[in-house]
């Protein structure tokens, strides 16, 4: 599965719904949007996503587009490298990382969703896929995410600097005297995002289909 040459049949739709956490109706909606973006082709390429008007002003546009073609985000069996094009199943799997909370979720389900979102975000900035990101890359993450918030405005740079210093304290404070700093690990990343409600804030509106409505 991955590329559908026509509308997925009911069994395919149910399988994808179970795999991604979307409802059957949401899978059908996203399939229609996939076909629009791909110009009715069976696969989607980067140029199709770069052509989305609502994505043009997004501060992390490049990283978002790249994430759809990063195998870590949809291929658990061979999570190395990138691909040039993706089918609907890969598209849907990546979209599920932006899925908002459902109305009824257990604490365990909520925590699992949070971990998946943070792993996805971590992957976006672990560009060389070595399991670490540099402090400067982390500062860039924070700055880009905050810079478009009108309530923060000119304070974005100062907050990003403070976040980088905090990250350095967390990472280097746990090191042995003779240990060489090699970058932020995912466990460090989790600690840095403690208290930040990523599971409700990380969603997208660049598909002309606000998926904050997809939370049945």
């Amino acid at each position: 599965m991955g590329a559908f040459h026509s509308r997925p049949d009911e069994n395919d739709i149910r399988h994808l719904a179970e795999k991604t956490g979307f409802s059957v109706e949401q899978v059908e909606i996203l399939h229609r949007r996939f076909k629009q973006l791909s110009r009715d082709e069976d696969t989607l390429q980067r140029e199709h996503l770069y052509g989305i008007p609502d994505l043009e002003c997004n501060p992390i546009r490049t990283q978002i587009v790249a994430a759809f073609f990063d195998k870590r985000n949809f291929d658990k069996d061979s999570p190395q490298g990138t691909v040039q094009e993706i089918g609907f199943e890969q598209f849907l799997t990546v979209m599920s990382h932006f899925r908002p909370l459902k109305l009824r979720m257990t604490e365990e389900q909520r925590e699992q969703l949070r971990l998946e979102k943070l792993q996805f975000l971590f992957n976006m900035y672990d560009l060389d896929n070595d399991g670490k990101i540099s402090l400067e890359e982390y500062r860039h993450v924070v700055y880009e995410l905050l810079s478009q918030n009108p309530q923060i405005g000119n304070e974005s740079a100062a907050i990003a600097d403070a976040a980088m210093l905090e990250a350095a304290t967390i990472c280097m404070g746990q090191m042995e005297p003779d240990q060489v700093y090699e970058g932020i690990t995912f466990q460090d990343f989790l600690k840095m995002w403690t208290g930040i409600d990523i599971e409700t804030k990380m969603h997208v509106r660049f598909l002309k289909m606000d998926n904050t409505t997809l939370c049945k």
Side-chain angles (χ1 to χ4, degrees):
M1 200 182 298
F4 293 95
H5 299 289
S6 60
R7 180 184 178 278
D9 63 31
E10 292 185 6
N11 289 332
D12 287 332
I13 291 175
R14 282 197 296 270
H15 165 76
L16 292 173
E18 292 174 1
K19 177 181 178 181
T20 62
F22 288 119
S23 70
V24 168
E25 179 185 5
Q26 292 160 4
V27 172
E28 291 174 334
I29 292 172
L30 285 166
H31 184 258
R32 289 197 295 271
R33 187 55 176 143
F34 175 86
K35 297 298 280 187
Q36 290 174 347
L37 290 172
S38 67
R39 305 185 185 111
D40 209 32
E41 296 292 332
D42 295 321
T43 58
L44 195 67
Q45 300 177 3
R46 294 170 192 259
E47 63 188 54
H48 296 135
L49 296 182
Y50 276 121
I52 299 173
D54 286 355
L55 193 55
E56 290 182 358
C57 297
N58 193 297
I60 55 172
R61 174 194 187 200
T62 300
Q63 290 91 336
I64 289 175
V65 171
F68 278 87
F69 302 88
D70 186 334
K71 293 176 69 176
R72 289 174 294 177
N73 296 325
F74 56 77
D75 190 345
K76 303 300 182 184
D77 296 326
S78 181
Q80 298 289 331
T82 61
V83 295
Q84 296 302 311
E85 57 186 22
I86 56 173
F88 177 61
E89 181 171 351
Q90 289 82 37
F91 171 79
L92 193 67
T93 301
V94 176
M95 281 297 298
S96 71
H97 294 295
F98 295 97
R99 190 180 74 251
L101 294 175
K102 293 184 178 180
L103 297 180
R104 297 179 182 84
M105 294 186 78
T106 65
E107 284 301 315
E108 183 178 351
Q109 290 172 327
R110 185 185 180 101
E111 180 59 22
Q112 181 61 35
L113 183 62
R114 173 181 174 80
L115 288 175
E116 290 173 0
K117 286 176 180 286
L118 286 172
Q119 182 67 67
F120 179 82
L121 187 60
F122 183 86
N123 289 347
M124 287 174 66
Y125 293 91
D126 176 19
L127 301 179
D128 56 4
N129 195 10
D130 67 348
K132 301 181 182 69
I133 56 178
S134 71
L135 288 175
E136 183 56 37
E137 284 173 330
Y138 180 69
R139 180 193 182 280
H140 192 57
V141 173
V142 177
Y143 178 76
E144 288 187 328
L145 290 173
L146 296 178
S147 61
Q148 298 300 311
N149 189 328
Q151 297 178 339
I152 296 177
N154 295 330
E155 298 179 16
S156 299
I159 295 174
D161 287 338
M164 184 174 67
L165 291 174
E166 181 181 1
T169 301
I170 292 173
C171 297
M172 298 179 185
Q174 299 175 347
M175 293 173 59
E176 298 297 330
D178 59 346
Q179 190 175 353
V180 177
Y181 172 73
E182 296 181 350
I184 300 170
T185 66
F186 181 59
Q187 292 304 314
D188 295 329
F189 195 71
L190 290 179
K191 295 174 185 176
M192 294 171 201
W193 286 80
T194 299
I196 300 176
D197 196 12
I198 188 72
E199 58 268 34
T200 61
K201 292 180 170 59
M202 186 171 153
H203 48 74
V204 290
R205 291 189 175 90
F206 64 80
L207 295 178
K208 283 297 183 185
M209 180 190 64
D210 183 354
N211 72 340
T212 58
T213 64
L214 302 183
C215 54
K216 297 179 182 178

